[in-house]
């Protein structure tokens, strides 16, 4: 069943059941108004740690904290009724081991109402994913380019070319076997993404991967043109709202300086307006 026809939010098992069906739709969100705009159009909405770069001006996702994720998770939750809420586990909140991951994942879900968490890593995170799933925490995995690991990956490079392909494929199988209900494939070659999609039993969610994935996700500020610091190759701008917003702000500033705003219709008189007689 498509997200637009659904009257209640799906859960992790609903998402998993869409493997091979109508492609899953997802975007990131960080605020209540944006969540309301995408509610029902998306199967799931991700509160991504990209919030650090998009809204907080950080140079990477590494400075994002649990408190930031909880704050934005709560805001997005207020705007969703028909789309599932998934929330990123920030850097340093799960890598130490399964017990640390469970404490922080449980806190994220309890304080935001999220239906699942997402964490980065493949083979090395399989034990943690299995631990969480067995204890009632649905996990969306994330392999390929994992932004929290840019210091060891050498930057935001495509992952899975040539001799790297087998390692990424092994990551996909590891997270699926560990119980993840879906897996994000970021910035991997299309042929490899198609192979992974064919071989694993859980939905693949592409971002810079392949149209053959079981679903797609983008950062909403990228696709709407609000975030303009850089534009990844895999982003399609469905609108260019950043320049429109800047033009509106410039017009407002000019009218304030010219004293043409506020005009008479925007201010209040000394007396209340007289109401006409009832019909």
């Amino acid at each position: 069943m498509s997200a637009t026809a659904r009257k209640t939010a799906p859960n992790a098992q609903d998402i998993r059941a869409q493997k091979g069906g109508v492609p899953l739709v997802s975007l990131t969100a960080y605020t209540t108004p944006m969540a309301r705009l995408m509610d029902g159009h998306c199967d799931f909405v991700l509160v991504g740690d990209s919030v650090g770069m998009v809204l907080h001006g950080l140079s990477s996702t590494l400075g994002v904290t649990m408190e930031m994720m909880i704050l934005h998770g709560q805001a997005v939750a207020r705007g969703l009724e028909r789309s599932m809420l998934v929330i990123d586990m920030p850097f340093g909140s799960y890598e130490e081991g399964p017990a640390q991951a469970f404490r922080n994942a449980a806190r994220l879900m309890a304080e935001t109402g999220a239906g699942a968490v997402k964490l980065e890593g493949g083979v090395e995170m399989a034990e943690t994913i299995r631990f969480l799933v067995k204890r009632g925490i649905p996990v969306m995995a994330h392999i390929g380019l994992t932004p929290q690991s840019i210091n060891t990956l050498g930057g935001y490079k495509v992952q899975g070319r040539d001799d790297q392909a087998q390692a990424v494929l092994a990551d996909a199988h590891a997270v699926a076997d560990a119980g993840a209900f879906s897996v994000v494939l970021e910035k991997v070659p299309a042929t490899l993404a198609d192979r992974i999609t064919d071989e694993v039993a859980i939905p693949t969610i592409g971002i810079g991967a392949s149209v053959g994935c079981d679903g797609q996700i983008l950062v909403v500020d990228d696709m709407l043109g609000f975030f303009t610091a850089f534009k990844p190759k895999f982003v399609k701008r469905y609108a260019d709202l950043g320049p429109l917003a800047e033009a509106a702000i410039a017009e407002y500033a000019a009218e304030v300086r010219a004293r043409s705003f506020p005009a008479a219709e925007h201010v209040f008189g000394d007396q209340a307006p007289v109401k006409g007689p009832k019909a």
Side-chain angles (χ1 to χ4, degrees):
M1 182 167 58
S2 69
T4 52
R6 187 183 289 115
K7 294 183 179 180
T8 58
N11 57 35
Q13 291 307 310
D14 295 325
I15 298 296
R16 181 173 183 141
Q18 288 188 238
K19 173 72 178 180
V22 176
L24 293 155
V25 177
S26 179
L27 289 167
T28 64
Y30 319 110
T31 65
T32 305
M34 192 65 76
R36 286 176 176 153
L37 290 176
M38 62 183 69
D39 186 35
H41 297 289
C42 294
D43 295 281
F44 69 91
V45 171
L46 174 69
V47 183
D49 59 0
S50 50
V51 67
M53 303 173 74
V54 174
L55 293 191
H56 293 273
L58 300 179
S59 60
S60 74
T61 62
L62 300 182
V64 175
T65 65
M66 282 285 292
E67 288 69 28
M68 289 165 67
M69 295 309 300
I70 289 170
L71 177 68
H72 291 284
Q74 291 170 339
V76 170
R78 296 183 191 108
L80 297 182
E81 293 182 355
R82 293 173 293 167
S83 300
M84 180 182 178
L85 174 61
V86 181
I87 188 164
D88 263 341
M89 297 194 69
F91 178 68
S93 69
Y94 61 95
E95 295 90 341
E96 186 178 327
Q100 180 210 27
F102 177 78
R103 287 193 301 272
N104 286 317
R107 182 185 173 198
L108 283 175
M109 292 185 68
E111 296 190 31
T112 66
V117 299
K118 180 170 77 65
L119 57 80
E120 297 181 5
V123 171
E124 73 281 8
M125 282 297 136
E127 178 186 358
T128 294
I129 292 172
R130 185 173 291 107
F131 188 93
L132 294 179
V133 172
K134 285 184 176 180
R135 287 156 180 80
I137 307 280
V139 177
M140 178 179 290
H142 182 155
I143 63 173
L145 172 64
T146 48
Q148 294 176 6
S149 301
I150 56 169
N151 289 327
T152 55
L153 294 177
Y156 298 95
K157 300 177 180 178
V158 174
Q159 302 295 309
R161 285 177 172 156
D162 302 323
D163 57 350
Q164 291 182 336
Q166 286 302 317
V168 176
L169 185 63
D171 284 339
H173 281 285
V175 300
D177 293 344
F181 70 91
S182 60
V183 57
V184 172
L185 308 180
E186 181 168 358
K187 214 168 182 179
V188 301
T191 52
L192 177 59
D194 289 340
R195 181 178 175 184
I196 291 171
T197 301
D198 288 340
E199 291 190 10
V200 300
I202 60 176
T204 56
I205 312 298
I207 178 168
S210 168
V211 72
C213 289
D214 296 300
Q216 301 293 331
I217 186 169
L218 284 175
V219 172
V220 69
D221 292 73
D222 284 341
M223 59 89 73
L224 291 179
F226 281 124
F227 184 78
T228 57
F230 57 87
K231 179 181 175 293
K233 173 182 171 64
F234 55 77
V235 170
K236 177 179 178 179
R237 287 236 167 99
Y238 286 81
D240 204 11
L241 303 184
L244 290 176
E246 185 176 3
I249 292 167
E251 183 178 359
Y252 162 74
E255 289 190 3
V256 169
R257 293 185 177 114
R259 295 191 183 278
S260 59
F261 176 84
E265 63 266 30
H266 306 122
V267 297
F268 302 94
D270 294 330
Q271 296 181 344
V274 177
K275 294 182 180 179
K278 294 182 179 180

